[in-house]
Amino acid sequence: MKIESKNQENNILEVENLAKKFVVKKGKMPWQKNQYVNVVNGIDFSIRKGEALGIVGESGCGKSTTAKLIMDIHSPTKGSIVYNSQELNDLKGKEKKKIRKDIQYVFQDPMGALNPRIPVIEQIYEPLIIHYGRDIKNYYKKAVSLLESVGMKESHGKMYPHQLSGGQRQRVVLARAMILEPELLICDEPISALDVSIQSQVVNLLMKIRDERGITLLFISHDLSMVRHLCNRTAVMYMGHIVEYGDNETLFNNPLHPYTRSLINAIPVPDPRIKKDDIILEGEIPSLLDPPSGCKFHPRCPIAGPECSLKQPELKTMPDGRKVACFALKRGDCNE
Amino acid sequence: MNSAYIIRKIFRAFLTIWIVTSFVFLILRLSGDPTVSVLGLEASPEAVEAFHAKWGLDDPIHVQYLRFFANVFQGDMGVSILEGRSALTAVLSRLPATVSLMVISTILTFSVGIFFGVMASLYHNTHKDQIIMTVAASGFSIPTFVLGVVLVLIFSVNLGWLPSTGSATWKHYIMPVLTMTIVDAAVFARFTRSAMLEVLYQPYMKTALAKGMSWGQAVRRHAIPNAAIPVVTIMGFWIGALIAGAVIAESIFAWPGVGRLLVYSVKHRDYNVVQVIVMLISVSMVITNLIIDIIYGKLDPRVSIDRGAE
Amino acid sequence: MNNDKPLLELRNLIVGFNGAHKGKPVVRGVSLEVYPGEILGLVGESGSGKSVTCYSAVRLLGERGWTEGEVLFDGKDTLSCPEQDIVSIRGSQMAMIFQDAQSSLNPVQTIGRQLVEVLMMREDLRGSSSETFRKEAVDLLNEVGIPDPERRIGEFPHQLSGGQNQRVMIAIMLAGNPRLLIADEPTTALDVTIQAQILRLLKKLCRERQMAIILVTHDLGVIAESCDRTVVMYGGRIMESGSVEDILVHPRHPYTFGLLSSKPRIDIKVEKLNTIEGVVPSPENLPEGCPFFDRCLNVTDKCRDNYPPKVIEGKRHYFCFNPVEERSV
């Protein structure tokens, strides 16, 4: 089934009104209702071919679930995911397998993603066997060249995952994801488990992959500094909603949504000479079991007005092209 | 606790008791009848026929089954074929002997098992730990009936210190109680030790020390309450082992209790008595597990026993 | 910080673990001082020995490890004193909080009970009524910013969020009125907005109670925002030490320099990240010389086998043969 792309931009993936709710408590008696949480609450975004899109937010904001919905690990409650003009939710069997080849992913924990009993080189070319049948000799060559392109040596290939360091394992996982020559690489917190000095190695590698091979990246992270550095555009999520979404230059230099502003302000800068405005966001993220009415951010928001507790604001496009979901903007409180 | 939880629990209890009783009902009747035991091998065909008619043994099994449950629901547990009196009375008259044995064994199993388990964990990887664990390992590798027989051989036959059968004096209690206790205490010691070791390396033990507590205080106030949670959980499973142990011990030492009655009644197909005992066992298991559920909820605030019904 | 007598002083502390690598210490000669009313940042990656250093200072390593050197708390050697002496110092003189606050609290006791437990050990409150203890506990929860403390006092750790549990941990450790608080990665497991709240709380406590705080972290940003002085550790050794401004703005050690330039910043766009090539050395494989030699850009022949001497420049010092030239990052 072909679906007409809604805009003229070269979008590889378009997500529309995507939502996922999970059952948290099953009613044990017939008269008891199941209790749900809305983890992703109707989000829209798109990824352009060749770019790196970042999704950021704090724990429980739904960023990882979004990634898992795209990866088909969870199936969405509603909404559509259109990949290269094909609706992913409608695909079955062979077609699905073909698309899966084009979308690859990297998770936070490389040790969990690797089989501890198989040498890493075999794990790198294993996807080829699954998709194209046996041709080990050629596959081996290809796997070695990939291993080298992620900055490791052929000799590392014979090793088992526990013999490698965390950073090296994540490189192996990356090489494995690359071997099917995917178009889209989804990275869910790929560097969070790594030491600071190793993080930049993996991030530089991801940038190289994007720039040299033209692979599109979806980068999910809680590390805003890294997202600012690596990505072209960013979506900021809070309690299942996208609150701000736009080019990194505009978004990070002049955040508009009060949540984005306080999030950016909360990130420590390793320079004691910089004195930041001492606005620290008070309170904590409310429980998903009992979400606030209206805008999910209004109980913590420094500029919340009366309508904020009544209605969920929609993402509105600003003159500079970014999108923001905030009523206060209309009143001009946020404009610089 | 709320009504939904109690309803669910009671429903399950009845289901358990029904399944167990039905199973025993079928097995007993499919594997023989009490005629020979009561009338002897030489009985005339007329006498056998009269006996069958009296106890309804000629009816098809589903008729017997329905009749049995109809009677049970009216509170009539039937009559002991061998003793001629009410099956319930026959069982209840033996109950005190069994309960006294079980209570003593339970107290001893818990106190000895838990004490040595805690000790072993506190002296982890030292000689004390190794000695306790070696003794425990040999303790639970002996089958209960072998242990009983060995005790009889040593203390009654060879040394003549203790009586081997009966329940008249405190001396009679020693060997049955030991038979029921040694294996289970060893199991509890091992389990308590591993529960303690799990807890002793938890971060909150470090917190307790950082607060300014001595190691002993930290163990008493923070380790033991937490280690108690898994130990209480296995107590539920252990009740079954206690009953099995009582059956074996009573048989070996000719203890006039319910366990021995059970073996005797099964052998002679005294249907109604067996059914009463089986129901008694199921009910007591159900009640114990309910009590353990409640204790568990009290010990561990993270588990609310009425989960799923808010 | 006008106090010139250090509250805690480590002198050439060496720590190793018992077991297979018993002979290979993971902390190899650390000396540092903490003064009353200051926050000292201890920064390093995994395996740098920063946490082990702190555990040894409070003697919480137990039988898992061995120590050499001296730890002087208020002039008293806490490494060699009898066990009951260190027990009486812990909680009332020096306290410690940890990374994972939820598992650092006893899951089966209410937070109130865990708080009162410390209050009951306090000399000045001995024999007080349970009402007094309760009031003290509520006051402490108030001080660390727990909303609705009257109700929270009867709740269990699993009913609170990660950030609130860390506040409760801080309250518990404040209950004994300690003069030194060691915070081992207290915000690593928390979201950034909550991290900012906890760091602000620690700064407030340090100022109001004139407490000394050792803040262990792997995040140079956290150091810049909350600490007065910092010690940079790598491979069980101190790389350099000095005021936060000196170390972060004018790093002299190539490791600090590399760390600073390999992390992107939220406030400035960096075109390309520098990387520190290679891997963090494992504690059992530390070289005789500088542990950073195989990843260092300034490495020379002598670095491998010789540990560089201490170079003192004003109020800072570093251990390096070929320091980074004086210039801002």
Side-chain angles (χ1 to χ4, degrees):
Chain A
M1 184 170 58
K2 288 271 168 185
I3 292 172
E4 226 19 70
S5 182
K6 287 213 181 68
N7 50 28
Q8 307 314 308
E9 288 161 17
N10 197 4
N11 286 345
I12 189 168
L13 189 91
E14 284 171 7
V15 167
E16 217 181 280
N17 199 20
L18 186 67
K20 176 71 188 174
K21 58 180 176 184
F22 288 106
V23 180
V24 281
K25 250 177 196 176
K26 267 215 153 77
K28 291 229 170 124
M29 289 289 158
W31 60 88
Q32 286 168 340
K33 273 198 211 131
N34 290 353
Q35 200 178 349
Y36 296 100
V37 287
N38 292 301
V39 177
V40 177
N41 218 336
I43 58 170
D44 303 280
F45 66 88
S46 55
I47 311 177
R48 297 173 193 153
K49 201 166 176 53
E51 77 164 347
L53 175 75
I55 300 185
V56 295
E58 296 178 280
S59 50
C61 72
K63 55 188 191 299
S64 269
T65 308
T66 305
K68 284 175 182 145
L69 289 171
I70 299 170
M71 296 176 217
D72 200 27
I73 293 171
H74 298 315
S75 54
T77 312
K78 65 172 191 208
S80 77
I81 305 168
V82 176
Y83 176 75
N84 276 340
S85 309
Q86 278 179 302
E87 171 60 58
L88 286 187
N89 291 323
D90 296 344
L91 295 182
K92 301 243 155 50
K94 264 213 181 107
E95 276 180 313
K96 199 172 196 168
K97 193 174 171 188
K98 202 169 147 277
I99 292 276
R100 289 292 144 231
K101 191 165 62 76
D102 295 337
I103 307 178
Q104 291 292 316
Y105 28 88
V106 175
F107 294 111
Q108 176 175 352
D109 170 25
M111 197 61 190
L114 294 169
N115 185 328
R117 294 172 208 285
I118 300 177
V120 293
I121 195 82
E122 288 180 32
Q123 303 195 48
I124 293 176
Y125 64 65
E126 194 188 12
L128 288 173
I129 301 177
I130 295 168
H131 283 272
Y132 302 110
R134 286 196 169 268
D135 183 6
I136 304 281
K137 224 181 213 165
N138 273 326
Y139 294 170
Y140 181 81
K141 261 192 228 144
K142 202 170 171 192
V144 168
S145 81
L146 266 172
L147 204 54
E148 280 164 358
S149 78
V150 296
M152 290 171 73
K153 298 191 191 88
E154 186 177 353
S155 57
H156 286 122
K158 294 186 208 79
M159 293 186 179
Y160 292 88
H162 71 266
Q163 294 169 302
L164 300 173
S165 70
Q168 288 172 326
R169 281 181 218 135
Q170 199 59 291
R171 286 162 194 261
V172 168
V173 173
L174 262 175
R176 183 176 64 181
M178 304 300 302
I179 201 149
L180 289 167
E181 292 166 3
E183 283 186 283
L184 174 63
L185 185 64
I186 300 174
C187 306
D188 190 359
E189 302 270 8
I191 54 168
S192 311
L194 304 177
D195 264 319
V196 183
S197 70
I198 308 297
Q199 287 184 350
S200 61
Q201 298 175 358
V202 175
V203 163
N204 279 353
L205 188 59
L206 282 169
M207 288 177 100
K208 198 179 102 183
I209 287 171
R210 180 193 58 189
D211 296 342
E212 289 177 5
R213 295 173 185 249
I215 289 175
T216 311
L217 292 179
L218 175 60
F219 188 78
I220 314 264
S221 179
H222 68 272
D223 186 341
L224 268 77
S225 317
M226 238 4 144
V227 168
R228 170 175 195 164
H229 177 69
L230 169 70
C231 298
N232 308 82
R233 291 189 306 144
T234 297
V236 183
M237 286 185 76
Y238 186 76
M239 290 192 83
H241 294 272
I242 291 180
V243 295
E244 187 162 358
Y245 168 46
D247 286 341
N248 271 9
E249 276 311 301
T250 36
L251 195 139
F252 285 100
N253 287 333
N254 178 24
L256 287 184
H257 195 284
Y259 177 64
T260 320
R261 294 167 77 102
S262 30
L263 194 59
I264 290 176
N265 190 58
I267 292 165
V269 177
D271 189 339
R273 291 168 303 183
I274 292 177
K275 292 285 168 251
K276 294 194 295 193
D277 17 339
D278 199 32
I279 33 161
I280 292 180
L281 200 52
E282 300 297 337
E284 307 211 352
I285 303 168
S287 160
L288 281 170
L289 285 168
D290 184 22
S293 62
C295 174
K296 299 284 175 285
F297 187 60
H298 87 261
R300 300 174 78 190
C301 183
I303 55 166
E307 76 242 80
C308 298
S309 60
L310 303 174
K311 252 179 22 210
Q312 171 67 41
E314 280 175 27
L315 271 180
K316 286 217 170 70
T317 310
M318 295 285 117
D320 56 9
R322 92 179 80 197
K323 293 175 176 174
V324 189
C326 182
F327 291 123
L329 283 182
K330 209 167 45 194
R331 302 198 302 265
D333 287 352
C334 267
N335 284 324
E336 294 283 280
Chain B
M1 280 212 279
N2 61 31
S3 56
Y5 172 76
I6 291 170
I7 292 170
R8 210 165 53 236
K9 207 78 201 173
I10 290 175
F11 175 75
R12 256 193 224 158
F14 273 105
L15 193 71
T16 311
I17 294 169
W18 172 67
I19 291 173
V20 171
T21 333
S22 306
F23 181 73
V24 171
F25 184 94
L26 285 174
I27 291 294
L28 278 176
R29 275 154 184 85
L30 292 176
S31 60
D33 68 40
T35 320
V36 181
S37 302
V38 175
L39 302 179
L41 282 168
E42 318 281 276
S44 66
E46 293 78 23
V48 170
E49 206 171 290
F51 184 78
H52 278 193
K54 182 183 171 198
W55 298 102
L57 300 176
D58 282 335
D59 297 332
I61 197 154
H62 65 271
V63 176
Q64 291 187 41
Y65 182 73
L66 290 177
R67 188 168 54 220
F68 169 72
F69 272 99
N71 288 338
V72 167
F73 275 111
Q74 289 164 23
D76 176 9
M77 303 299 297
V79 173
S80 162
I81 299 172
L82 296 174
E83 297 186 27
R85 58 174 170 161
S86 149
L88 195 60
T89 322
V91 173
L92 290 182
S93 68
R94 315 274 188 118
L95 202 55
T98 300
V99 168
S100 61
L101 204 57
M102 280 183 168
V103 168
I104 297 171
S105 304
T106 306
I107 294 170
L108 212 61
T109 304
F110 286 177
S111 44
V112 171
I114 291 170
F115 176 78
F116 282 105
V118 170
M119 280 299 130
S121 72
L122 294 182
Y123 293 102
H124 182 42
N125 279 342
T126 65
H127 287 300
K128 280 183 191 162
D129 178 26
Q130 282 157 7
I131 291 167
I132 295 173
M133 280 307 106
T134 312
V135 173
S138 34
F140 70 76
S141 36
I142 310 170
T144 311
F145 63 92
V146 174
L147 178 66
V149 172
V150 169
L151 288 177
V152 171
L153 282 175
I154 297 173
F155 293 106
S156 302
V157 179
N158 286 338
L159 299 172
W161 290 352
L162 297 170
S164 67
T165 55
S167 67
T169 66
W170 63 271
K171 278 189 175 174
H172 287 91
Y173 275 85
I174 293 175
M175 287 199 293
V177 165
L178 283 181
T179 309
M180 286 173 69
T181 307
I182 288 177
V183 177
D184 292 346
V187 173
F188 266 94
R190 259 183 86 101
F191 196 82
T192 306
R193 174 177 175 270
S194 62
M196 280 293 290
L197 286 180
E198 175 87 6
V199 166
L200 288 178
Y201 292 102
Q202 289 294 318
Y204 52 76
M205 291 300 289
K206 253 183 299 183
T207 305
L209 294 181
K211 277 175 174 181
M213 298 179 122
S214 68
W215 180 240
Q217 284 174 315
V219 167
R220 272 199 307 282
R221 295 203 203 146
H222 293 283
I224 290 179
N226 277 288
I229 296 167
V231 174
V232 165
T233 325
I234 68 153
M235 283 180 185
F237 300 102
W238 165 81
I239 294 297
L242 178 73
I243 291 167
V247 172
I248 294 169
E250 289 185 9
S251 303
I252 295 172
F253 300 101
W255 191 266
V258 180
R260 187 152 165 259
L261 180 65
L262 177 68
V263 175
Y264 183 76
S265 309
V266 168
K267 197 167 151 202
H268 298 290
R269 298 295 181 279
D270 193 347
Y271 298 149
N272 292 333
V273 174
V274 176
Q275 294 289 14
V276 169
I277 296 175
V278 166
M279 266 193 212
L280 190 71
I281 293 174
S282 335
V283 170
S284 56
M285 301 258 313
V286 166
I287 291 173
T288 331
N289 277 303
L290 190 68
I291 293 171
I292 282 167
D293 261 13
I294 293 167
I295 298 177
Y296 193 61
K298 287 255 180 284
L299 283 177
D300 192 348
R302 287 164 296 184
V303 208
S304 70
I305 53 176
D306 48 7
R307 251 176 316 182
E310 270 163 25
Chain C
M1 271 169 300
N2 316 326
N3 253 312
D4 29 303
K5 203 167 148 279
L7 182 60
L8 180 78
E9 200 180 348
L10 309 189
R11 286 191 194 153
N12 200 24
L13 178 70
I14 300 171
V15 189
F17 286 111
N18 294 330
H21 301 287
K22 197 173 183 339
K24 293 181 173 161
V26 294
V27 173
R28 307 187 307 157
V30 164
S31 303
L32 55 85
E33 300 94 42
V34 194
Y35 297 89
E38 74 162 348
I39 304 184
L40 176 75
L42 201 51
V43 65
E45 297 175 279
S46 58
S48 63
K50 57 190 193 301
S51 291
V52 180
T53 302
C54 291
Y55 280 107
S56 318
V58 197
R59 239 167 89 176
L60 276 182
L61 218 51
E63 280 150 27
R64 288 186 301 142
W66 53 269
T67 44
E68 269 172 34
E70 276 179 308
V71 175
L72 300 175
F73 181 82
D74 212 6
K76 184 183 173 71
D77 191 345
T78 60
L79 281 188
S80 58
C81 70
E83 179 73 19
Q84 63 258 39
D85 286 15
I86 187 78
V87 168
S88 68
I89 291 176
R90 277 195 217 124
S92 61
Q93 299 284 319
M94 50 187 186
M96 188 164 181
I97 60 172
F98 310 97
Q99 177 173 342
D100 183 357
Q102 174 151 350
S103 63
S104 299
L105 291 167
N106 188 336
V108 305
Q109 286 179 4
T110 60
I111 59 170
R113 191 169 157 193
Q114 298 184 52
L115 246 171
V116 168
E117 197 171 59
V118 188
L119 293 171
M120 284 176 26
M121 290 189 276
R122 241 168 64 184
E123 293 288 338
D124 56 324
L125 291 175
R126 187 149 291 167
S128 300
S129 67
S130 61
E131 232 358 87
T132 316
F133 284 127
R134 193 187 159 84
K135 208 190 143 288
E136 281 285 323
V138 169
D139 287 350
L140 279 164
L141 290 179
N142 248 330
E143 185 178 356
V144 298
I146 295 272
D148 198 3
E150 301 274 356
R151 186 169 60 88
R152 289 294 182 192
I153 208 162
E155 294 193 344
F156 293 93
H158 72 276
Q159 292 168 298
L160 275 66
S161 69
Q164 283 174 332
N165 274 327
Q166 195 58 282
R167 287 175 195 271
V168 170
M169 266 302 279
I170 294 172
I172 286 176
M173 291 309 164
L174 290 182
N177 280 332
R179 294 149 75 195
L180 169 71
L181 178 70
I182 300 176
D184 184 13
E185 305 246 12
T187 59
T188 305
L190 304 175
D191 280 321
V192 278
T193 55
I194 309 301
Q195 163 169 286
Q197 296 172 0
I198 297 286
L199 292 178
R200 183 178 57 178
L201 172 65
L202 288 176
K203 277 191 279 187
K204 185 190 87 165
L205 293 171
C206 171
R207 201 174 52 236
E208 288 177 1
R209 290 177 169 245
Q210 274 301 300
M211 212 165 52
I213 295 180
I214 301 180
L215 181 61
V216 179
T217 179
H218 64 270
D219 189 341
L220 291 170
V222 169
I223 296 285
E225 299 216 337
S226 13
C227 300
D228 304 302
R229 287 190 307 123
T230 185
V231 171
V232 182
M233 284 186 72
Y234 184 85
R237 298 216 197 242
I238 290 178
M239 299 284 104
E240 65 178 322
S241 165
S243 75
V244 167
E245 175 119 8
D246 281 344
I247 303 297
L248 297 187
V249 183
H250 312 284
R252 295 287 272 147
H253 200 284
Y255 173 63
T256 322
F257 184 83
L259 213 50
L260 277 165
S261 56
S262 69
K263 183 105 175 102
R265 286 172 60 160
I266 194 71
D267 56 331
I268 319 169
K269 174 91 185 147
V270 194
E271 274 319 314
K272 177 145 172 52
L273 283 188
N274 281 324
T275 55
I276 307 177
E277 292 305 328
V279 295
V280 179
S282 61
E284 60 269 17
N285 258 329
L286 295 171
E288 261 318 295
C290 175
F292 190 58
F293 84 97
D294 57 341
R295 303 176 74 188
C296 184
L297 293 174
N298 294 0
V299 65
T300 47
D301 289 341
K302 57 185 169 184
C303 295
R304 185 198 174 94
D305 299 314
N306 305 291
Y307 188 64
K310 181 173 179 176
V311 182
I312 300 173
E313 279 180 2
K315 285 188 159 183
R316 69 187 293 179
H317 63 263
Y318 56 83
F319 297 85
C320 185
F321 291 118
N322 315 300
V324 180
E325 289 307 307
E326 286 257 22
R327 63 187 162 90
S328 297
V329 180

